[in-house]
Amino acid sequence: MEISLLGPLEARADDGTRLDLGGVRLRRLLIRLALDPGRAVSAAGLVDAVWAEDVPANAANALQALVSRLRRAGLPIEAAPGGYLLRVPADAVDAVRFERLATAGRAEEALALWRGEALPEAEGAEFAQATLARWATLRDEVRETLFARQIEAGTVELAALQELAAAHPLRDRPVELLMRALLATGRGPEALSAYERHRELLADQLGADPGPALRQLHVEILRGDGEPVPAKGPRTNLPAQRTSFVGRDADLLRVRETLDRSRLVTLTGPGGSGKTRLALEVARGLLPAYPEGVWLVELATVTKPEDVAPAVVSALGARARALRKDVFFDIADPLDRILSVLAEHRTLLVLDNCEHVVDAAARLVDELLAACPLLRVLATSREPLGVPGEALWPVEPLRLPPPDATVAQALTFPVVQLLQERARAVRPDFEIDEAGVEICRALDGMPLAIELAAARLRSMPARQLADRLDDKFRLLRGGSRTVLPRHQTLRAVIDWSWDLLGDDERRGWQRLAMATSVVSVELAEALLGPDALDVVGALLEKSLIRAEGIGYRMLETIREYGLERLAESGEEADARKAWTEYFVGLAETAEARLRTADQLPWLRLLETEHDNLLSVLRWAVAHGQKETAVRLIAGLGWYWWLRNYRSEATVLVEDALNLPGEAPVRYLALAKVFSAVIYVETFGDFEHATRVLHEAAEIARGHESEHPMLRLAEPMRALMSSGINGLGSEAEILARYFEDPDPWVAATARALHGHAAINLGWDREIAVQDFETALDRFRQLGDRWGLALVLDALGTIANNAGDYAAAARYARETIGLSEELGAQEDQVQQWMNLAWALYLAQEPDAAREAIEEATRLTQDATQPHVHAVVSFGRGNMARLDGDLPAARRLMETALIQLGPQMSAPQFRAMIRNGLGYVLAAEGEYAAAAAEHRTALEDGLSAGDSPIVGMVLIGLADLAYRQGDATKAATQLGAAAAIVGVEDQAVVDRVRVESAVRAALDPTAFAEAVERGRAYTMENVIELL
């Protein structure tokens, strides 16, 4: 696959075939995805790129439709959290190759990729303007670099250079090149004339003068009578490249651009992130732009502030001799000696490893920049120099592949390529596998750590190394003998940072290392006290933490080092106490807001702190802190439920409850309530959940007023018991809470009572009244979970009544609410509900789009039944469309995805019933009977009347096919009696009933149906 953006948009398949990209909207969608190949682009960003201000009413569906069309055209577009990505290697996009070649100095190859003006399809589109401008600027720079080389070689075409200068009349560089080309051909007066025209143009249009470099060239021409004598001798002391440079193409480009705008650029970042190597590569690529030289000053071995200037003097000695600056060697003051070389020359000075002498380096740079107008400085430091006009470029670890990336996909990421290349240097047969990718992840993508790991692979298999990286500081040693001692082991790299810190900064590092995710300002204050912001600021300046969103994050390697130091400090107990108290308090404060209209910001806060909260819970369980553990579960249980973290929480909740010791009644009872509801959702074990809810209700007796969920423990137990035992009396316990003083409890009781009414086969109007009352109360409360719960049920009722348009409306509103809540796995079922309503309404295209959206959402799902929901829905529609092979494959896939012990028995019953239909249609009656029997048993075990009625219709279909129409009629009668209403959503009912009626005379049919009506949930199993 190749995507071409440097001209009119083109896409070609692997065999070179050009793909049909359709109209403007499809092209703009592909362009936006191709601007970030292999990276997720948000749905909002894509909508903005495609429609700008003319956004359609249902933008998400319209976007999905365009994505589907591009997929059908052959483009590998995948769903990603919150959006989509174009799954191609970065180099498959010509613009990426162009930038890489340009930054590598391969001008001819870079320019050859252009096929005209880039992306005329995106002309005027706001989303592309910055990128197009950047490409155009870089293209001009590459052309200028090429012209400079041609001038040196004597091969430049003056006409092309004059064309470039005319195209950019206000820029100095094209005029400078033109002047140098004219000089090289002996046309000095014309060079002076070109300067004068440029000077007058700038004065007329901008009121400005040419820049220092161009003025200097003008002076040199005048002094040299048109023949300036180039300086001889070395133009740089940069070391030759010994290994390839991997993975920083974008950084190379951006740092060069920044250095064009700012006279001082400092590359910051933690030790081992690759600052020095990036600086050297940037400097090496800029040699043509600095005719008076690029000079490296290595400060790593400088130990005293007063030795910084002499180190620069030492680096510039060769240049001084070349320029015959005898004064350089005669002057005693180091600063004056430096100025004697740099004051009048266009030079780049690279100051490497400034952090341990940062004050002295900053003072020197400040003085040099003030005295040398043509000087540029590129510095590396773990903290900024703090000089006015300084531009910072953070050197981050190399980007890691996404967690679900295959090995082949991971190999498109430079971090993995770096490990492979360096490992092959010591072990030529080395090949990247999953263990190699794990190594890159465990080392945070830090280049130095990756290189140390590669050296270790000489004597250790990748799997063995990956499994032992929890002891990375001991393992990763023995790097190159020729590098600085602090770069020979991973520990030494980080020790260097530790040694540069004060006591408060070290304490801050140790305590913030407890956070496994983002460190908020509030957490920092809880752990560090009133000076927290000062300490965080110092650690940020020294590249030990980095800003992320509204908080801060520490690299895992740096965090592990901090935890080691915390354990050695003797302060761990106090630190852990502050840590646990903060997060327990946060969970309890947020929990009360999760049932109100203000739930969204609190959900977002808990989501941000999700990893931190789980790490506190795991720590509490591991250290036997039962009260802390159950308090956290009580505070987080509803959040887990709302955001679909149910399966993730199950084991932790059970482990916490099984800890020895006591815990306050309120928290213990709440933990058991959440354990029950999470367990039944994850495993479908109603009996276990009912038993745990009973325990919770008993423990909470007398404490019910302390929390809404404690009051609901008994009614929820009753609801589950009513399903298992088929007892309406149990369900009626819910009615006691209809007027509860807590409006959320009253609304929830109404909603649960409505579900019980449906499951028990009561008059459907009872359920409708319950749901409508609950809906009104949840709307007053603003609780989106409650609204989604009730609207979903009303949609099911509308479907059953044959009002498919209403069912689709309910489904869409439910989806919107779940999107707000971030309940992605719930949305899968809701999109499939919408697809079913649209299918029944005979809108197959719209149904297909809904299924595609549900499928996209399953990609990040952790619960097995979520995948099965889509497979079953697609299989059921394939069955009704007559595609029995596809239906069978999908139904069987759904059962495999579900697993033997997962999810509610009702859903297993639906799948097996559907598979039974398929098998019966294929003539495999014995197999069909087995599926229907199991489905009926599952439906009865859950006490779910609609499911039992649905399975009875499947059994009637089988009986009719086997020639027993009387039995089929009896089963149809039982289905009608048990469900209580005619379910229009069971499409097979009309077909089966019509066939059975045709096979029997009216009297026989009526008598058989009447016999069936005598059956109940207690004895319907006899109809097998």
Side-chain angles (χ1 to χ4, degrees):
M1 176 67 65
E2 184 169 316
I3 311 293
S4 300
L5 306 180
L6 302 179
L9 177 66
E10 282 187 4
R12 294 181 182 272
D14 292 341
D15 61 1
T17 305
R18 183 181 296 180
L19 304 183
D20 181 6
L21 301 179
V24 173
R25 286 177 178 167
L26 282 174
R27 288 172 172 269
R28 287 196 172 186
L29 174 58
L30 177 56
I31 288 169
R32 182 62 191 88
L33 290 167
L35 292 179
D36 288 289
R39 290 198 290 266
V41 182
S42 71
L46 294 172
V47 167
D48 181 62
V50 174
W51 286 283
E53 297 178 358
D54 188 24
V55 179
N58 195 337
N61 284 354
L63 177 62
Q64 172 62 37
L66 292 181
V67 168
S68 298
R69 289 173 63 185
L70 285 180
R71 285 171 174 164
R72 287 196 292 271
L75 288 149
I77 299 175
E78 297 180 5
Y84 298 92
L85 62 83
L86 179 65
R87 180 66 76 185
V88 295
D91 262 14
V93 179
D94 62 351
V96 174
R97 295 201 305 281
F98 165 68
E99 295 194 33
R100 175 173 57 77
L101 292 168
T103 54
R106 295 158 66 178
E108 293 90 341
E109 295 174 71
L111 292 173
L113 294 171
W114 285 76
R115 298 172 291 109
E117 290 305 312
L119 298 178
E121 299 92 339
E123 183 178 0
E126 186 175 345
F127 78 92
Q129 294 313 298
T131 301
L132 291 173
R134 188 179 80 245
W135 291 345
T137 300
L138 182 58
R139 184 187 188 187
D140 289 337
E141 290 177 357
V142 173
R143 294 179 69 193
E144 291 164 3
T145 298
L146 186 58
F147 280 131
R149 292 176 187 169
Q150 292 170 347
I151 291 169
E152 289 186 3
T155 60
V156 70
E157 293 184 15
L158 275 175
L161 197 46
Q162 288 166 338
E163 182 182 330
L164 176 66
H168 302 283
L170 300 180
R171 290 186 61 218
D172 282 2
R173 182 61 171 159
V175 176
E176 178 188 345
L177 290 169
L178 177 60
M179 291 169 67
R180 291 187 183 279
L182 290 167
L183 274 176
T185 56
R187 298 157 70 175
E190 291 182 50
L192 292 172
S193 177
Y195 174 84
E196 194 59 32
R197 287 195 303 273
H198 183 62
R199 186 191 64 76
E200 291 176 356
L201 183 65
L202 290 179
D204 290 344
Q205 295 198 15
L206 302 179
D209 292 323
L214 196 57
R215 294 200 307 271
Q216 177 68 22
L217 177 59
H218 180 239
V219 170
E220 287 180 0
I221 295 173
L222 291 173
R223 286 178 179 172
D225 198 22
E227 293 294 338
V229 179
K232 304 295 182 185
R235 295 175 54 234
T236 185
N237 64 342
L238 294 176
Q241 189 179 49
R242 283 170 286 187
T243 58
S244 63
F245 184 61
V246 179
R248 297 285 190 192
D249 293 344
D251 289 291
L252 276 174
L253 176 65
R254 301 296 186 274
V255 174
R256 283 186 56 186
E257 290 175 346
T258 307
L259 204 52
D260 281 344
R261 296 190 301 269
S262 304
R263 295 181 59 208
L264 168 62
V265 176
T266 302
L267 308 184
T268 61
S273 62
K275 300 182 295 295
T276 296
R277 185 61 189 274
L278 176 59
L280 292 176
E281 294 302 321
V282 169
R284 191 172 285 114
L286 288 174
L287 277 168
Y290 290 89
E292 282 79 30
V294 175
W295 301 95
L296 170 66
V297 182
E298 296 178 332
L299 298 178
T301 57
V302 173
T303 57
K304 300 176 183 177
E306 59 267 25
D307 290 339
V308 172
V312 179
V313 169
S314 177
L316 292 174
R319 184 61 177 163
R321 282 188 290 273
L323 293 170
R324 298 179 182 177
K325 292 277 188 178
D326 295 333
V327 67
F328 177 86
F329 302 99
D330 297 335
I331 301 172
D333 182 67
L335 177 59
D336 289 339
R337 295 174 73 181
I338 297 167
L339 293 177
S340 72
V341 173
L342 300 182
E344 299 177 357
H345 297 282
R346 180 177 170 83
T347 308
L348 174 64
L349 199 62
V350 181
L351 298 181
D352 190 30
N353 291 300
C354 298
E355 58 271 355
H356 60 301
V357 286
V358 66
D359 291 336
R363 286 193 297 272
L364 177 62
V365 168
D366 193 35
E367 292 183 82
L368 291 178
L369 291 174
C372 307
L374 301 181
L375 176 67
R376 291 283 197 275
V377 177
L378 178 61
T380 74
S381 177
R382 299 188 189 188
E383 61 179 299
L385 301 188
V387 173
E390 178 183 30
L392 301 179
W393 185 264
V395 181
E396 302 287 354
L398 294 171
R399 194 163 65 92
L400 295 168
D404 60 347
T406 64
V407 172
Q409 291 167 341
L411 269 168
T412 66
F413 285 73
V415 65
V416 182
Q417 295 167 2
L418 177 64
L419 178 64
Q420 177 169 268
E421 184 171 311
R422 299 299 190 260
R424 283 180 175 175
V426 297
R427 219 178 90 192
D429 63 341
F430 179 78
E431 294 291 343
I432 285 289
D433 56 12
E434 290 182 0
V437 180
E438 289 175 27
I439 290 169
C440 295
R441 293 189 200 286
L443 298 178
D444 296 314
M446 295 286 282
L448 178 62
I450 298 293
E451 301 215 14
L452 291 170
R456 177 63 72 177
L457 289 171
R458 177 175 52 194
S459 58
M460 181 180 287
R463 170 46 58 199
Q464 196 175 63
L465 178 58
D467 291 342
R468 286 166 170 72
L469 279 179
D470 54 349
D471 193 14
K472 56 174 69 76
F473 296 118
R474 183 182 63 82
L475 275 176
L476 299 186
R477 54 179 66 244
S480 171
R481 293 187 179 92
T482 62
V483 299
L484 294 168
R486 71 167 187 263
H487 282 178
Q488 292 180 4
T489 73
L490 185 59
R491 180 177 293 281
V493 172
I494 305 179
D495 281 341
W496 172 260
S497 294
W498 177 266
D499 293 340
L500 296 175
L501 300 182
D503 290 342
D504 286 346
E505 293 164 343
R506 291 179 180 180
R507 178 175 177 270
W509 184 347
Q510 292 169 172
R511 289 187 164 228
L512 296 183
M514 292 186 294
T516 56
S517 181
V518 173
V519 177
S520 65
V521 172
E522 293 78 11
L523 173 59
E525 289 172 336
L527 296 177
L528 305 180
D531 297 329
L533 292 181
D534 292 337
V535 175
V536 167
L539 295 176
L540 185 67
E541 289 283 285
K542 293 173 170 62
S543 304
L544 292 167
I545 57 175
R546 52 182 176 172
E548 183 170 307
I550 59 172
Y552 309 92
R553 186 185 289 272
M554 193 175 284
L555 290 175
E556 187 64 20
T557 302
I558 293 173
R559 194 179 79 82
E560 289 177 18
Y561 183 95
L563 290 175
E564 281 192 12
R565 290 288 189 172
L566 178 63
E568 297 166 359
S569 69
E571 298 182 6
E572 185 171 13
D574 287 343
R576 292 290 181 185
K577 183 173 184 292
W579 178 61
T580 56
E581 286 179 352
Y582 173 80
F583 282 110
V584 168
L586 173 64
E588 291 177 349
T589 300
E591 197 274 343
R593 274 79 169 180
L594 297 184
R595 292 176 293 278
T596 72
D598 297 329
Q599 62 198 166
L600 295 186
W602 289 96
L603 278 170
R604 285 193 292 270
L605 176 59
L606 291 176
E607 186 69 43
T608 299
E609 298 288 5
H610 180 82
D611 290 343
N612 282 326
L613 288 160
L614 282 187
S615 71
V616 177
L617 179 53
R618 291 190 181 101
W619 181 88
V621 171
H623 290 79
Q625 303 283 334
K626 183 165 187 172
E627 180 173 341
T628 298
V630 297
R631 283 183 68 185
L632 270 171
I633 292 166
L636 295 174
W638 195 238
Y639 157 71
W640 288 333
W641 181 263
L642 293 179
R643 293 302 280 262
N644 298 146
Y645 289 122
R646 300 153 197 172
S647 59
E648 181 179 359
T650 302
V651 174
L652 278 172
V653 172
E654 292 303 306
D655 288 346
L657 289 173
N658 289 331
L659 288 173
E662 299 297 323
V665 166
R666 167 192 171 121
Y667 303 118
L668 185 60
L670 277 173
K672 283 186 173 288
V673 169
F674 289 126
S675 170
V677 295
I678 289 170
Y679 199 91
V680 77
E681 174 71 13
T682 305
F683 299 109
D685 189 338
F686 285 88
E687 292 186 4
H688 172 85
T690 302
R691 184 170 62 253
V692 175
L693 279 172
H694 177 72
E695 293 171 6
E698 289 299 314
I699 293 171
R701 203 168 299 283
H703 296 267
E704 293 90 345
S705 62
E706 296 178 16
H707 196 281
M709 295 301 289
L710 295 183
R711 285 207 291 293
L712 285 173
E714 174 59 19
M716 283 193 293
R717 180 209 61 77
L719 175 65
M720 291 187 190
S721 294
S722 71
I724 296 170
N725 303 319
L727 299 177
S729 58
E730 293 274 22
E732 282 306 324
I733 293 175
L734 288 159
R736 302 175 192 170
Y737 298 85
F738 284 180
E739 302 303 326
D740 192 275
D742 185 320
W744 187 85
V745 171
T748 303
R750 274 286 190 177
L752 297 181
H753 191 266
H755 278 285
I758 291 175
N759 291 349
L760 291 167
W762 291 353
D763 186 339
R764 196 57 58 95
E765 285 305 312
I766 295 174
V768 171
Q769 183 180 351
D770 282 335
F771 289 134
E772 288 180 347
T773 302
L775 183 66
D776 182 59
R777 291 180 175 177
F778 279 129
R779 287 201 191 280
Q780 292 176 33
L781 289 167
D783 178 18
R784 295 159 184 82
W785 168 82
L787 289 170
L789 173 72
V790 174
L791 289 166
D792 185 69
L794 288 170
T796 300
I797 291 173
N799 243 352
N800 296 344
D803 189 350
Y804 307 130
R809 285 197 304 273
Y810 285 127
R812 288 191 173 98
E813 187 175 355
T814 305
I815 289 166
L817 291 164
S818 292
E819 285 178 344
E820 288 187 76
L821 289 170
Q824 186 164 317
E825 295 186 358
D826 286 350
Q827 291 174 55
V828 174
Q829 179 66 71
Q830 291 154 4
W831 276 102
M832 291 307 295
N833 290 348
L834 175 60
W836 184 233
L838 293 169
Y839 178 86
L840 294 175
Q842 298 184 353
E843 297 182 39
D845 290 341
R848 190 180 304 110
E849 289 178 6
I851 292 172
E852 287 182 1
E853 182 61 22
T855 303
R856 182 185 72 80
L857 290 167
T858 63
Q859 294 187 2
D860 295 318
T862 57
Q863 293 180 278
H865 81 269
V866 174
H867 299 274
V869 163
V870 176
S871 296
F872 167 69
R874 291 175 59 209
N876 202 35
M877 292 179 206
R879 177 180 70 81
L880 294 171
D881 288 338
D883 188 351
L884 296 181
R888 181 169 183 168
R889 184 185 72 254
L890 288 163
M891 298 283 188
E892 290 172 345
T893 297
L895 286 174
I896 293 169
Q897 290 168 330
L898 199 61
Q901 300 296 326
M902 301 298 287
S903 192
Q906 296 101 313
F907 185 39
R908 287 200 303 272
M910 292 170 67
I911 300 172
R912 292 195 176 279
N913 188 55
L915 183 56
Y917 275 119
V918 175
L919 293 169
E922 293 180 335
E924 298 184 33
Y925 298 143
E931 295 297 340
H932 285 309
R933 171 183 285 276
T934 305
L936 185 61
E937 291 169 349
D938 281 336
L940 289 170
S941 73
D944 195 311
S945 296
I947 294 295
V948 170
M950 180 187 299
V951 177
L952 285 169
I953 293 172
L955 283 165
D957 172 72
L958 176 61
Y960 168 75
R961 291 178 185 276
Q962 290 179 301
D964 194 343
T966 301
K967 183 177 182 180
T970 304
Q971 290 165 333
L972 288 171
I978 287 172
V979 177
V981 295
E982 283 191 356
D983 190 342
Q984 301 297 320
V986 181
V987 180
D988 300 276
R989 182 187 59 79
V990 174
R991 173 183 60 81
V992 175
E993 183 176 324
S994 297
V996 174
R997 280 183 183 275
L1000 296 172
D1001 63 66
T1003 301
F1005 177 81
E1007 290 174 351
V1009 167
E1010 194 60 31
R1011 284 195 300 273
R1013 289 185 179 279
Y1015 285 90
T1016 65
M1017 293 281 282
E1018 285 71 34
N1019 63 359
V1020 73
I1021 193 73
E1022 297 171 6
L1023 277 177
L1024 289 171

